[in-house]
Amino acid sequence: PFDLLNIGGGPAGMAAAVYAARKGIRTGLLAERMGGQLNDTLGIENYPAQLHTEGPKLAAELEAHARHYEVQLMNLQRAVRLLPAAQPGGLIGVELASGAVLKARSVVLSTGARWRNMNVPGETEYKNRGVAYCPHCDGPLFKGKRTAVIGGGNSGVEAAIDLAGIVQHVTLLEFADELRADAVLQAKLRSLPNVSVITQAQTTEVLGDGARVVGLRYTDRRSGTPQELALEGIFVQIGLVPNTEWLKGTLELNRFGEIAIDAKGHTSLPGVFAAGDCTTVPYKQIVIAAGEGAKAALSAFDYLIRTPQA
Ligand code: FAD
């Protein structure tokens, strides 16, 4: 059995694996796709000490770092079930889609999350070429440009407020007839001179010139008429979904499906820790996921030295 088994090969899982392996304990890491969301990221300009790097490059460097410490890496493996230990200090099972069951004395869950897509023509084609999901990451790329934010919940309104300080103009589009964000955010939003809000707007298409986004098409649901906006950037803020469906009923999740953790990365199950975008930790970012992974591994190590083997 492993002393520590990490589920997930993004920045959280990789950082956890490095921290664990450096303690000299038997460490494994399995992932459906090594690198996680980094594989879908072009420029990264907010990782400390890296003015600019690329997602796949950072993913390869994280993997090389884990290999250096002899972490046993298992790529293209999907966990489908977590089998809690019979008693504290007992072995925890992780069942894979292949049917195999791996055993470990402690587990770090770092299965990440995925942005909900609009599923309209042009969205996939223009991803990273005007279609963006993270204002903290990509906001500065649209300095002085016209942008839209899709979604009038808290994330959408926060994104619009954030972008308004950087870009020329923000149009916020909401499907329903009113915004769902907290009143204080809505008041802040409406006080900004370069933001307009359109409700009852159903986005239907991302328009591009072959190279980049040039506009957005939506239907005004009141009148049923199609409308067009000319702009350079579209931030989609209709939800970040944690990859935790397979854990439902096994440990505590919040109403968004995020794994509930405390300040040390403990979940509701003894010996099971969690880190990164799949958890309740606020702000889903690479540097935060990596820090949380390190923390979860240190907590797991603490658990291992304090808990007699059952
Ligand atoms: P992830 O990176 O999501 O990794 C999850 C891992 O778990 C993957 O290996 C996945 O295959 C695996 N997994 C999931 N389910 C299972 C399962 N059941 N069994 C086995 N393995 C499983 N952040 C920044 O800080 N700066 C940026 O510039 C930036 N740009 C971004 C651009 C895009 C397009 C996207 C999508 C995200 C961006 N982010 C950025 C966010 C950042 O990528 C995430 O916050 C970070 O990757 C989260 O790391 P994580 O390890 O928690 O999860």
Side-chain angles (χ1 to χ4, degrees):
F2 293 101
D3 290 316
L4 189 152
L5 180 60
N6 295 281
I7 319 291
M14 290 293 184
V18 167
Y19 266 74
R22 281 170 53 84
K23 296 291 184 194
I25 60 178
R26 282 202 61 198
T27 305
L29 182 150
L30 69 93
E32 223 176 331
R33 189 170 66 134
M34 286 296 167
Q37 292 172 68
L38 295 180
N39 296 307
D40 309 321
T41 305
L42 284 182
I44 297 169
E45 305 192 338
N46 58 5
Y47 196 77
Q50 302 278 336
L51 266 185
H52 179 93
T53 188
E54 311 266 310
K57 179 169 180 276
L58 185 59
E61 288 164 348
L62 284 168
E63 189 175 330
H65 200 164
R67 280 191 198 284
H68 178 78
Y69 289 108
E70 293 175 11
V71 173
Q72 190 177 328
L73 296 174
M74 296 160 273
N75 197 6
L76 308 176
Q77 298 294 335
R78 184 160 58 90
V80 294
R81 211 147 61 99
L82 183 70
L83 310 159
Q87 66 253 58
L91 289 176
I92 299 157
V94 175
E95 186 181 329
L96 307 183
S98 67
V101 176
L102 300 176
K103 301 267 186 195
R105 291 184 60 210
S106 69
V107 167
V108 171
L109 302 167
S110 55
T111 48
R114 55 192 192 271
W115 292 98
R116 190 168 278 141
N117 293 326
M118 297 184 289
N119 292 321
V120 299
E123 180 179 24
T124 308
E125 193 181 345
Y126 289 104
K127 222 171 243 186
N128 292 321
R129 299 195 291 160
V131 175
Y133 296 84
C134 171
H136 315 300
C137 313
D138 297 339
L141 302 177
F142 297 91
K143 190 167 184 225
K145 300 194 168 150
R146 296 164 299 179
T147 60
V149 169
I150 313 299
N154 280 340
S155 339
V157 173
E158 278 165 14
I161 294 168
D162 175 352
L163 290 168
I166 305 170
V167 306
Q168 185 201 106
H169 187 84
V170 185
T171 308
L172 183 119
L173 291 101
E174 162 61 44
F175 180 86
D177 58 5
E178 56 182 36
L179 305 184
R180 284 160 294 124
D182 298 342
V184 55
L185 289 175
Q186 293 195 37
K188 172 75 188 170
L189 183 77
R190 294 190 199 275
S191 75
L192 299 170
N194 60 338
V195 175
S196 34
V197 175
I198 306 178
T199 55
Q200 299 215 36
Q202 173 161 22
T203 310
T204 52
E205 190 174 353
V206 171
L207 305 170
D209 62 5
R212 297 203 57 85
V213 166
V214 298
L216 175 69
R217 198 168 276 157
Y218 68 94
T219 303
D220 173 354
R221 298 173 57 236
R222 269 178 217 95
S223 61
T225 49
Q227 306 283 338
E228 248 178 63
L229 290 172
L231 41 76
E232 289 77 41
I234 302 169
F235 284 81
V236 184
Q237 297 287 312
I238 52 178
L240 183 66
V241 188
N243 300 317
T244 56
E245 290 86 354
W246 64 287
L247 293 165
K248 243 168 229 161
T250 316
L251 43 57
E252 188 189 337
L253 306 176
N254 72 3
R255 66 192 171 96
F256 304 111
E258 296 168 334
I259 302 168
I261 54 166
D262 68 7
K264 289 186 163 179
H266 294 106
T267 70
S268 60
L269 283 178
V272 179
F273 303 81
D277 282 17
C278 64
T279 72
T280 48
V281 76
Y283 310 118
K284 313 307 196 208
Q285 294 283 285
I286 299 163
V287 64
I288 293 173
E292 290 287 307
K295 203 200 311 181
L298 293 176
S299 291
F301 183 69
D302 194 46
Y303 166 84
L304 290 172
I305 60 176
R306 285 165 191 268
T307 314
Q309 223 165 316

